[in-house]
Amino acid sequence: DGGITQSPKYLFRKEGQNVTLSCEQNLNHDAMYWYRQDPGQGLRLIYYSQIVNDFQKGDIAEGYSVSREKKESFPLTVTSAQKNPTAFYLCASREAGGYRGAEQFFGPGTRLTVL
Amino acid sequence: QKEVEQNSGPLSVPEGAIASLNCTYSDRGSQSFFWYRQYSGKSPELIMFIYSNGDKEDGRFTAQLNKASQYVSLLIRDSQPSDSATYLCAVNWLVFGQGTRLTINP
């Protein structure tokens, strides 16, 4: 089965802790994305990567970090510097290149709650 | 900052009627436009994409793009209760609108 997996589904963090959200895809996609969604809101871009060992900040990158050491993996670390991290986190991937209609596939999401 | 604006709703439509969802965007150089459906607590799923001016039809769904007016819309014909969801407009895979909550009333 091809797709995107995210783990864990639910994550609880104490204030001051760093946590890492996993995102893995076996679709052979070059581009991967992390979004944050707050209740009743749309998706906001945290980071994206179009190729291994390269990534760009999105609109709300402060307090987050990523790595892209392998094509299939794009983990997101929520650091203690992120003041309000409770949210639904979505990972996505798509084929890169020039096709303007390339579909973006989403993982099932991780719901992070700060205690 | 590049922005995508949607009416957050809720939009209530009778079953069998046409639902019309609208989206405007600020970046005139935008090339690719997407409509996603998102059920509560789930991840978004792609409904339509469009990148040329005009209309694009797929079953009960029609996407309309007007680059001069920086406007993209989604029409849902013969609306069904299962169409009740939040609809997200996205531009270039990077910027999403806040979503429009649509309710289809039986």
Side-chain angles (χ1 to χ4, degrees):
Chain A
D1 262 347
I4 302 178
T5 57
Q6 290 186 243
S7 62
K9 186 173 181 179
Y10 299 96
L11 184 58
F12 299 91
R13 190 195 92 168
K14 294 181 180 178
E15 285 196 22
Q17 280 183 336
N18 292 354
V19 291
T20 297
L21 282 59
S22 169
C23 177
E24 304 276 335
Q25 54 97 2
N26 61 3
L27 300 166
N28 200 33
H29 287 168
D30 289 304
M32 296 188 74
Y33 305 78
W34 274 107
Y35 301 92
R36 167 181 173 146
Q37 188 174 34
D38 292 285
Q41 301 297 313
L43 279 62
R44 290 185 291 167
L45 181 66
I46 305 173
Y47 271 98
Y48 67 103
S49 167
Q50 301 202 77
I51 196 168
V52 174
N53 292 323
D54 188 42
F55 47 83
Q56 287 77 43
K57 292 182 179 180
D59 296 326
I60 56 166
E62 186 176 350
Y64 299 98
S65 66
V66 293
S67 63
R68 187 83 188 279
E69 297 176 1
K70 299 186 295 182
K71 187 176 184 178
E72 59 270 24
S73 178
F74 192 39
L76 174 73
T77 296
V78 184
T79 75
S80 57
Q82 171 49 237
K83 298 306 179 188
N84 185 22
T86 295
F88 187 44
Y89 289 86
L90 286 158
C91 179
S93 72
R94 70 171 180 95
E95 291 183 11
Y99 178 45
R100 288 178 288 175
E103 181 176 355
Q104 196 174 35
F105 292 84
F106 284 85
T110 292
R111 196 167 297 277
L112 173 64
T113 302
V114 173
L115 302 174
Chain B
Q1 183 154 352
K2 297 172 185 176
E3 294 182 345
V4 175
E5 298 288 339
Q6 292 181 255
N7 186 330
S8 60
L11 176 64
S12 185
V13 172
E15 183 176 356
I18 296 175
S20 177
L21 304 163
N22 304 315
C23 173
T24 59
Y25 59 94
S26 63
D27 182 8
R28 189 169 286 278
S30 299
Q31 295 193 11
S32 301
F33 306 87
F34 302 85
W35 282 101
Y36 291 87
R37 177 174 62 198
Q38 187 178 27
Y39 294 112
S40 181
K42 302 297 185 182
S43 55
E45 53 182 333
L46 184 67
I47 300 293
M48 296 278 293
F49 69 86
I50 187 167
Y51 50 77
S52 299
N53 270 330
D55 294 359
K56 179 182 178 183
E57 186 174 321
D58 183 1
R60 296 187 296 114
F61 300 95
T62 298
Q64 299 174 318
L65 175 62
N66 184 326
K67 289 187 177 180
S69 299
Q70 295 175 239
Y71 175 94
V72 58
S73 66
L74 179 70
L75 300 177
I76 306 174
R77 289 181 299 280
D78 188 22
S79 297
Q80 303 296 311
S82 59
D83 294 327
S84 297
T86 296
Y87 288 79
L88 299 165
C89 172
V91 176
N92 291 348
W93 305 281
L94 299 179
V95 185
F96 283 71
Q98 70 268 37
T100 298
R101 189 155 53 93
L102 173 65
T103 300
I104 306 301
N105 300 309

